[in-house]
Amino acid sequence: MDLKDRITSTLKDALKSKDSVAVSTLRMVNAAIKDHEIVLRGEGKTPEVSEADVIAILGKMVKQRQESAKAYRDGGRAELAAGEEAEIGVLETFLPRQLDDAETAAAIDAAIAETGAETIRDMGKVMGVLKSEHAGQLDMGKVGGLVKGKLG
C-alpha cells in the first residue's frame, strides 16, 4: 500500500473512531496533495504525485507546525501549541524514521566519500546525494551546517 492509500485508509478509520484531530489533519494532507497535483497539471506534467512528493509535503507540514508550536509557546499559548503538536504526531506516523546523530554523521561521511567532495564548493553534490538517499529522514537545514563544517 503506497503512502497516499495509507493516508486515505487512516482518514477513514479516524472518521469511524471520531478522532477529530486526525480527521482534520489528514484532510489537510489530502488537500495539500491535491494542490500539488493541480500545480503539476498546470506545468503540463502528469498529475501523479510520487511517494517522495508526499513525503516532502508531510515534512513541510510538520516543519510549519513545529514553528507554529514554538511561536505559541513563546507567546504563552500552551493550549494552541498542544494542538499543533497533536497534529505533528498524526503527520509523523507517515514519515520515515528520522536518523539519529550518529546515523546522520555516517550518512554525511558516506555522501562525502561517494562524491569525492573536498571543499565547500562541493557541498551541493553532497547535499544532493543526501537528499536523494535519505529523503524525509534528515532535517536538511541542520545537515547543511554539518556538511559545511566537514568540508570547510
Side-chain angles (χ1 to χ4, degrees), residues 19-148:
D19 182 350
S20 61
V21 172
V23 168
S24 66
T25 303
L26 294 173
R27 283 183 172 161
M28 281 189 281
V29 170
N30 280 336
I33 291 170
K34 292 281 186 207
D35 287 345
H36 189 71
E37 289 173 346
I38 291 168
V39 168
L40 290 175
R41 237 183 267 125
E43 294 173 352
K45 300 176 183 170
T46 59
E48 196 60 36
V49 178
S50 70
E51 197 90 358
D53 290 337
V54 175
I55 289 172
I57 290 167
L58 290 169
K60 183 177 178 182
M61 293 177 86
V62 167
K63 191 168 193 146
Q64 288 169 341
R65 276 148 190 77
Q66 287 170 338
E67 291 168 358
S68 296
K70 182 183 181 320
Y72 288 140
R73 287 224 184 281
D74 292 346
R77 302 293 308 263
E79 70 282 355
L80 294 175
E84 295 291 325
E85 289 163 353
E87 289 182 5
I88 290 170
V90 172
L91 295 170
E92 285 181 338
T93 62
F94 299 100
L95 289 171
R97 180 186 68 83
Q98 295 291 300
L99 299 181
D100 63 27
D101 292 341
E103 292 170 324
T104 300
I108 291 170
D109 291 339
I112 289 172
E114 181 180 328
T115 59
E118 295 176 359
T119 67
I120 198 73
R121 282 186 259 135
D122 300 321
M123 185 172 167
K125 293 178 196 172
V126 174
M127 294 299 288
V129 168
L130 289 170
K131 192 171 186 176
S132 67
E133 292 181 2
H134 300 286
Q137 295 180 308
L138 295 170
D139 179 349
M140 298 312 277
K142 290 179 185 175
V143 170
L146 297 172
V147 171
K148 189 181 258 186

